[in-house]
Amino acid sequence: MEPKFALFPEQASNFAPAVDHLLYFLLAVATIFTLLIFCSIFYFAVRYRRRSENEIPPEVHGGMTLEILWTVIPFGLTMVMFTWGASVFFSMSRPPDDAIELYAVGKQWMWKLQHMEGRREINELHIPVGRAVKLMMTSEDVIHSFYVPAFRTKEDVLPGRYTTTWFKPTVPGRYHLFCAEYCGTNHSGMTGWVYVMEPHDYEAWLSGGTGEGTLASNGEKLFQELACANCHKADGSGRCPSLVALYNKTVELSGGGTIQADEAYLRESILNPAAKVVAGYQPIMPTFQGLVNEEGVLQLIEYIKSLTPAPGRGAGAAGTPAAARKTGTAAAQPAPGSVPSNR
Ligand code: CUA
């Protein structure tokens, strides 16, 4: 049961205590100064009230001690707020390497969540307790905002780019998920639930899918359907660059400059291939805008990522490197129909 009004709302993530302590500090400072100012006004109004009709007060030409005090004390307090707030902010913006990775797509008016292992959810998110979870988020239409009050996390979800958020749930249970950015008529209905489960329950839930295949394997299927492998050959002999071991690599661009082949670059290269062409290649790739939706783009990106067997890609991708090498070779086969997809 969620109480209607909670002075101390439930804390269910690693960030909740840190955010709350900072908030209490800000509230305490604001309360102390409010009382100080109003009590002073009241005291001075009484103490220095006009006592006779022709009373002229003496002129005051400043007080150095007072001026230094009311400069140094607020400066110190605001610097404490700044450094404290910044440290919380930085810890929230740096997901740990061992985080479980998930994708979230916002859409008028629902949340679509996609697990690497293949399970998809709408307006529900199942995650294990005690494990860091990293969400890569994008929108199919307008700006939304992924907000879980009990986790004290809120991050905007933008069309055309990826934003991330992360948290480590600490208490099993069911928590509200909201959209916190006005996104049209049914914005207020764009809600859902986050289920924080015991690890074994989570494993059972995760394996209870309908056999949709992993995100990467669906990406591989899409890759074959779209005949990407005709040009992107694994050994680099194709008309387009090989995608093997591409993820997170620094890529030389034609016309100079380099770029890191992260998710945003891969996405751009699928939807707007001419924007940043790899050095030594012609801008011959057609755009896939309108041919693949955001979920398809995510599948393709996960497939491309799976071709890079590397550490630090998150535990969610654990176990895929071997398969990745295999699919890497599979992508080398030029004839799309001839590639068996055994997963
Ligand atoms: Cu989506 Cu408000």
Side-chain angles (χ1 to χ4, degrees), residues 107 109 111 142-145 179-184 187-188 190:
K107 183 188 171 176
W109 288 275
W111 292 106
V142 299
I143 302 177
H144 305 275
S145 188
C179 176
E181 182 69 51
Y182 180 70
C183 54
H187 155 73
S188 63
M190 193 169 159

Side-chain angles (χ1 to χ4, degrees), residues 163-174:
T163 54
T164 60
T165 185
W166 81 276
F167 40 77
K168 188 191 282 185
T170 49
V171 187
R174 189 178 80 142

Side-chain angles (χ1 to χ4, degrees), residues 276-322:
K276 297 188 183 74
V277 178
V278 178
Y281 289 89
Q282 294 300 312
I284 54 166
M285 177 170 157
T287 175
F288 285 83
Q289 189 99 50
L291 292 176
V292 276
N293 59 13
E294 289 295 344
E295 286 168 294
V297 173
L298 295 179
Q299 292 172 352
L300 287 171
I301 289 177
E302 261 331 288
Y303 170 61
I304 294 169
K305 283 166 79 172
S306 76
L307 302 177
T308 305
R313 283 232 328 274
T320 50

Side-chain angles (χ1 to χ4, degrees), residues 173-302:
R174 189 178 80 142
Y175 305 101
H176 273 297
L177 159 65
F178 292 118
C179 176
E181 182 69 51
Y182 180 70
C183 54
T185 314
N186 290 334
H187 155 73
S188 63
M190 193 169 159
T191 62
W193 294 100
V194 178
Y195 295 88
V196 177
M197 312 168 87
E198 295 292 351
H200 56 271
D201 295 337
Y202 172 71
E203 291 304 330
W205 177 86
L206 203 56
S207 57
T210 50
E212 296 167 297
T214 67
L215 202 53
S217 73
N218 285 322
E220 186 191 355
K221 270 180 225 145
L222 194 54
F223 193 81
Q224 302 300 343
E225 279 167 28
L226 297 169
C228 308
N230 287 0
C231 296
H232 290 285
K233 293 182 180 166
D235 59 4
S237 66
R239 289 180 295 164
C240 298
S242 162
L243 304 177
V244 174
L246 170 67
Y247 178 61
N248 261 343
K249 204 177 85 175
T250 304
V251 176
E252 304 258 340
L253 298 176
S254 73
T258 59
I259 192 163
Q260 195 186 16
D262 57 5
E263 286 88 353
Y265 172 70
L266 296 177
R267 179 181 186 284
E268 184 187 54
S269 297
I270 294 167
L271 300 176
N272 185 13
K276 297 188 183 74
V277 178
V278 178
Y281 289 89
Q282 294 300 312
I284 54 166
M285 177 170 157
T287 175
F288 285 83
Q289 189 99 50
L291 292 176
V292 276
N293 59 13
E294 289 295 344
E295 286 168 294
V297 173
L298 295 179
Q299 292 172 352
L300 287 171
I301 289 177
E302 261 331 288

